[in-house]
Amino acid sequence: MFAETQTFTEERCILYMVQAWYATLITPSFQKTLDYIGRAGEISRSITPTDLDEIDNLIIPSANIMYFWQKYSLSDELLLTGIQYCEQNTSVIPYVREKMELYRCRLDVCYEWGRHDLCRQIIEAIDTENRIYQSVGVHIKVPAELRNLVFSKEEGTSNKG
């Protein structure tokens, strides 16, 4: 593949993300995982036409990989970066939908991380955004059981990762 493609191509970016998953799930090496994500990121920043593509092709998969490594703070940081990209385009519905999806992902990460304080903030943000965007059909449902769990645990501020 390297002989047949130029340095900054979508195929190489995809290959590096596949290698990052491989280094996460098959031959675990956190350092290799970071290296492959870094290589994919360098390419992605050069070739990706929109922030939405960057979020879908690099940010969400990288956050998911960090979740598998139980590096919850890194996963959360990546998701926040995606949310910031979306907040620069709040008048464009696909960015609003993506932001809401990133909130949902972030809620999952923070719950697993044991950061109920952040979960409460995220749920409040989701509720606010749901009210703002209900007229355009954008709505993220927070399961009642999860809502009850995080609002009933005031001590949930542990730092697992």
Side-chain angles (χ1 to χ4, degrees), residues 19-140:
Q19 288 176 312
W21 276 111
Y22 192 86
T24 298
L25 300 173
I26 307 302
T27 58
S29 169
F30 187 65
Q31 190 54 49
K32 284 184 180 180
T33 298
L34 291 177
D35 182 48
Y36 291 132
I37 289 173
R39 291 179 191 188
E42 183 180 333
I43 293 171
S44 181
R45 284 185 289 281
S46 297
I47 65 167
T48 304
T50 69
D51 289 339
L52 283 177
D53 292 323
E54 178 89 8
I55 292 166
D56 287 337
N57 298 334
L58 185 72
I59 291 176
I60 291 174
S62 297
N64 199 16
I65 288 170
M66 291 301 110
Y67 179 88
F68 272 87
W69 279 106
Q70 298 180 346
K71 303 291 185 184
Y72 302 119
S73 62
L74 293 175
S75 182
D76 186 48
E77 189 177 310
L78 287 161
L79 295 169
L80 280 171
T81 298
I83 289 169
Q84 289 169 352
Y85 286 170
C86 293
E87 286 178 345
Q88 296 170 8
N89 298 284
T90 56
S91 63
V92 182
I93 298 305
Y95 281 93
V96 172
R97 283 192 183 101
E98 190 80 356
K99 180 170 75 167
M100 296 301 281
E101 181 62 23
L102 290 165
Y103 276 137
R104 190 201 54 74
C105 293
R106 189 168 178 237
L107 183 58
D108 293 343
V109 168
C110 290
Y111 182 78
E112 188 65 29
W113 188 8
R115 293 293 308 268
H116 293 208
D117 57 327
L118 290 177
C119 290
R120 287 189 287 275
Q121 292 173 19
I122 295 164
I123 290 171
E124 289 169 1
I126 289 171
D127 290 345
T128 299
E129 300 281 331
N130 279 341
R131 283 190 294 278
I132 291 169
Y133 296 110
Q134 69 183 2
S135 64
V136 293
V138 177
H139 180 83
I140 294 291

